[in-house]
Structures are given as C-alpha cells and as structure tokens.
C-alpha cells in the first residue's frame, strides 16, 4: 500500500552511496513502467510481470541490492488477503513455542504484523537494512513479493532459505480484497464497485497480481524444491488445522515431539491463532486508522470463512473466475478443490 509519508521521510534521509545508487535506479525506472489504476488511491506499476505499488517495486529493488539473507531465514509468503495474518501468527507460534506461555503470549498483545517484519517494507524502514539486519536468527520475515522477484541466491535449490506460502480460492480473495480496499479509501472518496474490482482482478491488475501467476510461482518452486518451499491452502488449514501445523513444523525442522503432542501444544497453537481468538483480542479490535497510518489492526479481520464469495459474487462472476483459474492451472497439478 502506498504511504506518501514514508517517501517524504526517505527524501530527508542521509543515505550512504550504495543506497543512493539504488534509489536513483528506482527513480529512473519508475516512470518507464506501464501503469494501471490501483485499488486504493494509488496506481499499480507493472514490474517483471507483476502489478506492484511504487512502494513494492522499491522494496524489491532494495532487497536485490541490500538484503543480507541468512540460511536460517524463514519467509512467510502470501498474496494479499490469502491469510497473511493467520500464517504469520501460526509460524511465529510454532517456532517460538518454547519461549512463551500460551496464557501470556505476545499474540494476545500484538498483531502478527508487529511480530513478523514485512520484508519489502522494512528493508528500508529507516532508509537502511538496519531493522532487518538487527533481528536475531532465525529471522521470521513476511512478504507479498512473487517468488520470481527474489534474488537467485535465495531461490537457488541449494540455498537453505525456507518459504512457507499460503494461497486461497481467488473468489474469496477477490471479495476479501474488495472489502479491504473500500475500508482503506479515505472518507469522501466513493467506494469501489464490485464490478470494477472484478474486472481489474480478472485482468490480473491487483496488488502483487496477477493472482494466479503469484500462486504458480510458489507452487512450481514447491515442486522443484520441496525442502525450500511449502505451499498451503487457506481452505486446508481451516479444515485440518492440526495436520497442517504438523506439516509446517516438520518442514521447518522443528517437528512436534511426542511429549508436546501429549501436552496438546498443537491444539493450543490452533486455538491461539484461530479467527475467533485473534479477532477478539483488544489489540486487534481497535480502529486506529489515520491519515498517516491508513490501516488498523481490525482491518485484517472480517469473517475468516471459506466460501463467503457466494454472498457477493453473481453466478456469472464466479463462473468466469473459475474458468480463468482452471485455464491458468491446467496441467500444473495445482487446484483449489
Ligand atoms: P476475509 O476478508 O474473507 O474475512 P490477510 O491477512 O492476508 O490480509 O487476509 C485477511 C483475510 O484473512 C480476511 O479474510 C480475514 O478475515 C482472514 N483472517 C484473519 N485472521 C484469520 C485467522 N486467524 N484465521 C482465519 N482467517 C483469518
């Protein structure tokens, strides 16, 4: 999401030469990129096959030039509205399960976005990589960037970085994004119609879209490098949370021990991270939206259900989306069923 204040701050920063060079490259590149109407007040730019905000193009280029990956890094990757908040909470709870008591857990006091750093945003938080470089290992980071935009040193099959990805039925993603986008539109700006966003979404024009290409990037990587990329579906985690959590823990090399199973730690994590529990924490209930900070924690919780699209999309819209999905995923071995 655009935040013009961040850019204003950046302009005032005293950046070292390396950063200055990257920012200069960004400034030169941006005007050359194809543009399209965004979902908020922003415009989206087509960068290496994906529609990104200025902010994300900049983040991606900064990652290329300045991110210092560590083999122990764990990256929670998602397309927006596919369950980022949920997955951040789950992975955070899994890898820190011995550090906190469930009754007094950080997730009861903080939104997952405050516990898991958003890579492409914080790579330049204060104009440098300091806030990311300063994190202890193993670092848990979050991204919306497509897999293909990560530097080869991270996606190379022999490298140790791990990506946990979650995706979701595009019909529910569209509905969730539509609600989210309208919440973020400043007062006085007319809401986006469902027809309008449907059209954009189908053309692939949505933050980090085309949605289907985003999924396929991670899906193909998970087939080629199963030790490196794990693909989950929101619907599966809803249906079989315990099995999915065990899968994630195994993938991350921290399987639940028989003792932990006896103590029902997996069940505790599922409960802690459930929509009901998280959306009812005070920290996630408050509406703190302001001009400087247009997103509040409560915006990340709406219904948390599978299949809510049926209450919004016309039969024709759902059919068109299903057709696109079928075409895009044909022969890839991936499906949402
Ligand atoms: P809905 O709008 O369909 O309710 P993201 O975190 O990627 O922005 O995704 C937000 C979506 O995930 C919203 O979907 C939100 O309600 C849902 N969500 C948030 N926390 C969740 C949780 N703990 N369990 C399940 N779904 C959750």
């Amino acid at each position: 999401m655009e935040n013009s204040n961040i850019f204003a701050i950046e302009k005032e920063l005293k950046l070292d030469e390396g950063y200055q060079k990257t920012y200069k490259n960004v400034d030169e590149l941006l005007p050359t990129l194809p543009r399209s109407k965004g979902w908020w007040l922003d415009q989206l730019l087509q960068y290496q096959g994906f529609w990104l905000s200025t902010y994300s193009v900049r983040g991606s280029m900064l990652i290329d030039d300045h991110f210092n990956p560590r083999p122990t890094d764990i990256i929670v990757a998602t397309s927006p509205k596919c369950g980022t908040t949920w997955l951040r909470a789950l992975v955070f709870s899994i890898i820190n399960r011995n550090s906190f008591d469930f009754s007094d857990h950080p997730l009861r006091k903080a939104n997952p976005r405050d516990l898991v750093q958003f890579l492409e945003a914080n790579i330049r938080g204060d104009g440098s990589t300091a806030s990311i470089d300063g994190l202890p290992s193993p670092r848990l980071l979050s991204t919306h960037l497509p897999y293909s935009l990560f530097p080869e040193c991270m996606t190379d099959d022999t490298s140790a970085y791990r990506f946990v990805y979650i995706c979701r039925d595009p019909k529910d993603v569209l509905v969730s994004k539509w609600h989210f986008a309208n919440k973020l539109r400043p007062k006085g700006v007319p809401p986006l119609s469902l027809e309008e966003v449907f059209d954009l979404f189908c053309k692939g024009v949505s933050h980090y879209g085309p949605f289907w290409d985003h999924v396929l990037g991670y899906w193909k990587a998970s087939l080629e490098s199963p030790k490196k990329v794990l693909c989950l579906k929101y619907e599966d985690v809803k249906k079989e949370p315990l099995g999915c959590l065990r899968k994630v823990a195994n993938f991350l090399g921290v399987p639940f021990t028989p003792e932990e199973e006896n103590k029902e730690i997996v069940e505790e994590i599922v409960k802690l991270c459930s929509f009901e529990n998280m959306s009812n924490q005070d920290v996630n209930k408050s509406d703190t939206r302001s001009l400087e900070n247009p997103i509040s924690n409560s915006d990340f919780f709406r219904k948390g259900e599978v299949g809510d699209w049926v209450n919004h999309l016309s039969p024709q819209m759902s059919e068109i989306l299903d057709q696109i999905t079928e075409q895009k995923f044909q022969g890839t071995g991936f499906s949402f069923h």
Side-chain angles (χ1 to χ4, degrees):
M1 236 232 45
E2 293 288 351
N3 186 337
S4 51
N5 285 336
I6 293 178
F7 301 143
I9 293 166
E10 276 169 1
K11 286 211 160 46
E12 288 164 19
L13 292 169
K14 290 199 180 92
L15 300 167
D16 73 30
E17 222 174 281
Y19 280 98
Q20 280 180 26
K21 199 167 160 212
T22 308
Y23 279 93
K24 189 167 169 279
N25 290 342
V26 174
D27 285 344
E28 282 172 8
L29 177 76
L30 291 178
T32 70
L33 297 175
R35 280 165 191 260
S36 172
K37 182 182 163 57
W39 288 47
W40 289 283
L41 290 180
D42 55 341
Q43 283 196 322
L44 292 175
L45 309 175
Q46 198 175 38
Y47 177 65
Q48 301 197 15
F50 289 88
W51 289 101
L52 308 184
S53 58
T54 316
Y55 159 108
S56 309
V57 173
R58 196 179 297 233
S60 171
M61 290 176 76
L62 282 163
I63 289 169
D64 272 345
D65 291 354
H66 302 283
F67 180 51
N68 303 311
R70 295 181 203 154
T72 49
D73 287 339
I74 298 168
I75 308 207
V76 166
T78 60
S79 183
K81 303 299 128 199
C82 285
T84 316
T85 310
W86 194 17
L87 190 62
R88 281 174 175 166
L90 289 170
V91 177
F92 179 88
S93 309
I94 291 172
I95 62 173
N96 292 303
R97 64 188 186 261
N98 296 320
S99 309
F100 306 110
D101 196 296
F102 284 102
S103 60
D104 184 33
H105 199 276
L107 280 166
R108 299 195 185 278
K109 289 165 236 154
N111 181 276
R113 66 183 175 143
D114 298 322
L115 301 173
V116 182
Q117 298 242 6
F118 188 30
L119 182 56
E120 59 266 29
N122 293 343
I123 181 84
R124 53 151 179 69
D126 63 350
S128 76
T129 52
S131 70
I132 302 266
D133 285 342
L135 293 173
S137 298
R139 290 184 299 192
L140 178 57
L141 303 166
S142 178
T143 188
H144 287 320
L145 288 175
Y147 193 67
S148 57
L149 290 198
F150 278 95
E152 215 176 302
C153 67
M154 290 178 74
T155 56
D156 184 290
D157 195 25
T158 55
S159 69
Y161 318 105
R162 275 153 308 170
F163 292 81
V164 185
Y165 183 70
I166 194 165
C167 55
R168 187 181 189 187
D169 184 329
K171 301 193 289 301
D172 279 334
V173 174
L174 168 64
V175 168
S176 185
K177 278 170 93 78
W178 174 53
H179 282 283
F180 187 74
N182 276 333
K183 268 189 204 164
L184 263 54
R185 283 169 86 81
K187 283 197 180 80
V189 178
L192 290 161
S193 71
L194 183 55
E195 288 68 25
E196 198 175 349
V197 292
F198 172 79
D199 196 43
L200 287 171
F201 190 78
C202 288
K203 287 184 190 144
V205 183
S206 63
H207 289 85
Y208 302 89
F211 170 82
W212 299 271
D213 297 7
H214 199 283
V215 175
L216 280 180
Y218 283 93
W219 169 247
K220 286 183 184 160
S222 77
L223 296 180
E224 281 158 20
S225 317
K227 289 193 177 148
K228 186 170 191 56
V229 183
L230 175 71
C231 264
L232 300 168
K233 293 176 201 160
Y234 182 97
E235 295 75 14
D236 291 345
V237 187
K238 271 276 177 190
K239 200 159 132 201
E240 299 244 19
L242 298 174
C244 289
L245 254 70
R246 290 187 185 110
K247 209 190 222 184
V248 174
N250 290 342
F251 172 76
L252 296 176
V254 287
F256 292 101
T257 62
E259 203 189 355
E260 286 176 318
E261 289 285 358
N262 280 339
K263 285 195 198 155
E264 302 198 339
I265 300 295
V266 200
E267 285 83 349
E268 288 282 2
I269 295 177
V270 169
K271 251 191 278 169
L272 176 75
C273 301
S274 69
F275 180 85
E276 292 66 32
N277 185 59
M278 289 186 63
S279 58
N280 275 309
Q281 299 298 332
D282 285 344
V283 68
N284 293 325
K285 283 204 281 194
S286 52
D287 184 347
T288 53
R289 237 172 279 138
S290 66
L291 253 188
E292 294 74 39
N293 197 353
I295 312 181
S296 64
N297 290 345
S298 59
D299 294 329
F300 293 95
F301 301 92
R302 192 181 63 91
K303 281 196 170 177
E305 287 172 5
V306 171
D308 181 48
W309 61 265
V310 81
N311 298 313
H312 301 279
L313 302 184
S314 68
Q316 199 197 4
M317 283 172 161
S318 82
E319 204 176 301
I320 292 173
L321 274 174
D322 281 345
Q323 273 170 11
I324 298 175
T325 304
E326 210 181 303
Q327 266 171 19
K328 288 272 193 177
F329 292 157
Q330 204 171 33
T332 65
F334 185 87
S335 90
F336 278 104
H337 307 300

